[in-house]
Amino acid sequence: MKHSILVTGGAGYIGSHTTLALLEAGHEVIVLDNLANSSLESLRRVERICGKAATFVEGDIRDRALLDSIFARYSIDAVLHFAGLKAVGESVQQPLAYYENNVSGSVVLFQAMAAASVFNLVFSSSATVYGEPKQMPISEDCPTGTPTNPYGRSKLMIEEILRDLSLSEPRWSIAVLRYFNPVGAHSSGLIGEDPNGIPNNLLPYISQVAVGKLQKLSVYGDDYPTVDGTGVRDYIHVVDLADGHLKALAAIATEQGVHVWNLGTGQGYSVLQMVSAFEQAAGVTVPYAIVPRRGGDIAECWADPKKAAHELGWQAKHSLDDMMHDTWRWQQSNPNGFSQ
Ligand code: NAD
Ligand code: UDP
């Protein structure tokens, strides 16, 4: 069935891949984005890939009057809420900007949704809410922990707000999607991750070293209790992640309350395994140096993805090799990201 979906942050990395998947599935998409960390070029490329366009509204989720006008103008069935700031280090430097954008912005969005009687919501959360995990793999019934930074805390706060909201008004149908480590790009090479400045995340850093923009990778610690001493994470292809949103959207159409789903592959890879998988896929050498651990990092983290498999009929399909090939194609064809 065709729906009208409001996608906040839809010009960004995960939002643009999900907008594409929604358009391909025949939905009408309205993107609201203030372009704080993205460019409209991503949505032009989405249109190039699928021949359909999302309606774009430039603006902020903190702008209540704008939200009210969007809900009045379009008959929105559900909101996919990606908008927010996501740089962990920056969140330590500027906590108020993070709480204002992520927490206050979400509150304004939820108020506008309630006023418009739109109660279907898919929220982008993160595995960071589990804090230092006590067991592996991490299933949804593992307790949430203490995130080590304001970014992570902002995600946990929003999750708690959503639980309170659902208790107060049973019409809310909410999917909380806890992403593990999103990587990769669309196989066309037209859309992908375009980090601002020097990347914080591993795979964008590796690919910028490979393309010659950065000199060498710093591997943050080789003394963790892991397979080779380097940090282990569950990397998930962004196209699989986008598909998870469509499945979650379908699930909440018939189920009220708050539902939490991990979106991960269930398989962890170390930093050095990632380097060598990338080198193999790209056919280039990635110079690296071992440096001290990065503050706030955990040793390892990977998902138990069974709940999403059982309840959503979703599982990640792309292999590590796909993630590497797609990242490399995107990086090579767009060495300067969306700004040519
Ligand atoms: P992104 O920065 O590429 O996308 C976020 C988008 O939101 C950007 O286009 C930005 O311009 C927009 N935005 C920011 N503040 C806004 C505001 N106040 N009003 C309107 N638009 C605003 O990030 P992404 O990687 O696509 O992440 C999407 C969501 O998923 C975020 O909420 C992020 O916290 C969450 N998440 C990301 C990761 C990851 O590693 N990429 C992991 C877990 C969770
Ligand atoms: N990492 C690294 N060098 C980098 C960036 C990341 O060694 O330049 C490591 C990091 O310590 C962690 C893994 O790569 O073990 C994934 O880090 P990323 O920042 O991509 O994601 P996180 O899981 O921290 O959100």
Side-chain angles (χ1 to χ4, degrees), residues 297-308:
D297 273 355
I298 56 174
E300 53 186 14
C301 166
W302 67 90
D304 177 344
K306 281 201 287 295
K307 187 168 184 269

Side-chain angles (χ1 to χ4, degrees), residues 7 31 37 41 54 63 77 115 139 179 189-190 209 214 219 221 223 232 241-242 254 273 325 333:
V7 182
V31 167
N37 194 38
E41 181 61 17
D63 183 343
D77 298 295
S139 62
Y179 309 159
L190 286 171
V209 171
L214 296 169
V219 175
D223 55 353
V232 168
L241 202 59
T254 55
Q273 286 170 337
H325 273 108
S333 347

Side-chain angles (χ1 to χ4, degrees), residues 86-97:
K86 63 163 185 178
V88 170
E90 189 183 67
S91 79
V92 176
Q93 305 303 318
Q94 302 172 35
L96 293 179

Side-chain angles (χ1 to χ4, degrees), residues 181 200-202 205 217-220 231 233 235 271 294 297:
N181 288 59
N200 295 308
N201 293 116
L202 179 64
Y205 204 107
L217 172 73
S218 297
V219 175
Y220 297 135
R233 297 290 183 275
Y235 297 92
V271 175
R294 181 171 69 176
D297 273 355

